[in-house]
Amino acid sequence: MKNIRWLIGAVIIVAIVAFIVFRPLPFLFYHKLPYVGFVGRALYIILLACVMCLYRIWKGPTSADRIVAVDILGIMIVGLCAILTISTGRSWYIDIGIAWALQSFISTLALSKYLEGKGFEE
Amino acid sequence: MIIDVIGLIFIVIGFAFDVFGCLGLVRLPDVYNRLQAATKCVTLGTCSILFGTFLVVGFIAAGMKCLLCMIFLLLTSPVAAHAIARGAHRSGVKLWEGSVVDKYAEDKEGEA
Amino acid sequence: MKSKMILFALGFVAWLLLNWPPDWQHSLTGIFIAAFVAYMTGDLFIQRPHVLKHPKRYWYFVMHYIPVFLWECLKANIDVAYRVIHPDLPIKPGIVKVKTTLQTDTALTFLANSITLTPGTLSVDIDRDNGILYVHWIDVRAKDIDKATAQIVERFEGILRKVFE
């Protein structure tokens, strides 16, 4: 039973990756910059990982699972901003990435303090 | 040109580790195992993506910010994981039933 | 005072990296902002500034700590990827106790970070008085405190003692 479930999941992921390789994201093509086809495929893969995080946020049995998923989503969005820096050639996307990393770290610390059930004085 | 190709290889490795980390977030059974898989894989994956971006764009403003962001992520991501694990254990989240040993809960009961 | 000077230098370097092609206007603004930040929060950052004077510590940090850390990090990622892809999920988790002999805050922080990013381990809590770390291990091979210490901590403890203490 476990092997059958694993096989179904593997087939779904291989199908999604094959779709990604053959159908790149079209809206980035008019920039005429280098590596646009590569980046158009790469954005799909990071969106696949983000969808997995959203599944864990939706389904998580405890609130600690949801906090973990939010933290991981915040780290991956930094990578997404770096990729957008290459594809569009605008360097302010990485500024968004740095600000997002700082804010995500502080919000994770605050959420874990809330989870611990103590005040903020300690 | 060859440096661009090396940077793109780093970016592809980073994407692979990101997807593995999120797969671990979906498949593994309890909070601590999910935290392990996700923190390790996603931290090194995102650092690899940022280093590849630095190699592609070169020594301009965006590349320097990539290096700074990489150092920041390597310093802060384990601290966040540590805080979440401690908070989860103190708020009473149980370990998975296949777990072998839990010295922390034993010691805390001894104190209280 | 010495720690304020060090924090001023670090803040000014970070400001220059954020405004990368350096010109004199950005540098002047950066001097004022770094001085203000160092004046406000200088006492909180570095408690023992005399450690920073020895060049041997930088040598150990760059040539011994960073290669070991990167290699363990890569091994950790391949290990986690193998465990996630395998259909039977070969995990045997548990929380074990290890002991350490490091004392200072910086060394303990770097030790906990290194434990979190190396194969199969995640630091959960720390007991400063007795020098005990609680570590979540995804594949428990030794429940005993001495064997667990030998397998988890001793890769980094010697290097970190030479660097930070």
Side-chain angles (χ1 to χ4, degrees), chain A residues 54-113:
Chain A
L54 287 179
Y55 172 79
R56 183 47 68 196
I57 292 176
W58 171 52
K59 197 72 184 291
T62 64
S63 56
D65 290 305
R66 297 193 169 97
I67 294 173
V68 173
V70 168
D71 182 27
I72 297 306
L73 198 58
I75 296 177
M76 270 194 309
I77 284 181
V78 179
L80 185 69
C81 291
I83 292 302
L84 283 175
T85 305
I86 298 179
S87 75
T88 60
R90 294 171 184 158
S91 68
W92 41 262
Y93 273 110
I94 196 66
D95 296 346
I96 301 174
I98 290 178
W100 197 298
L102 287 161
Q103 184 264 342
S104 166
F105 171 61
I106 293 175
S107 74
T108 305
L109 284 189
L111 281 173
S112 66
K113 274 290 180 191

Side-chain angles (χ1 to χ4, degrees), chain B residues 6-112:
Chain B
I6 295 172
L8 293 187
I9 289 171
F10 267 103
I11 291 176
V12 169
I13 292 171
F15 277 128
F17 279 135
D18 270 8
V19 172
F20 286 146
C22 288
L23 204 60
L25 197 63
V26 172
R27 282 198 74 200
L28 288 172
D30 74 344
V31 180
Y32 308 99
N33 297 316
R34 281 171 198 150
L35 199 53
Q36 285 216 7
T39 303
K40 278 171 201 145
C41 278
V42 174
T43 303
L44 194 76
T46 304
C47 286
S48 175
I49 292 173
L50 287 170
F51 189 67
T53 309
F54 166 70
L55 287 182
V56 170
V57 301
F59 281 94
I60 61 169
M64 282 302 159
K65 283 170 191 168
C66 281
L67 283 186
L68 207 63
C69 197
M70 200 168 85
I71 295 169
F72 181 75
L73 273 184
L74 274 180
L75 282 180
T76 59
S77 161
V79 178
H82 174 83
I84 294 175
R86 186 158 166 251
H89 204 286
R90 292 206 175 180
S91 76
V93 178
K94 292 280 185 293
L95 268 74
W96 181 47
E97 59 264 19
S99 300
V100 182
V101 61
D102 191 357
K103 291 276 178 59
Y104 188 41
E106 292 169 12
D107 281 5
K108 259 199 329 186
E109 282 177 5
E111 283 176 10

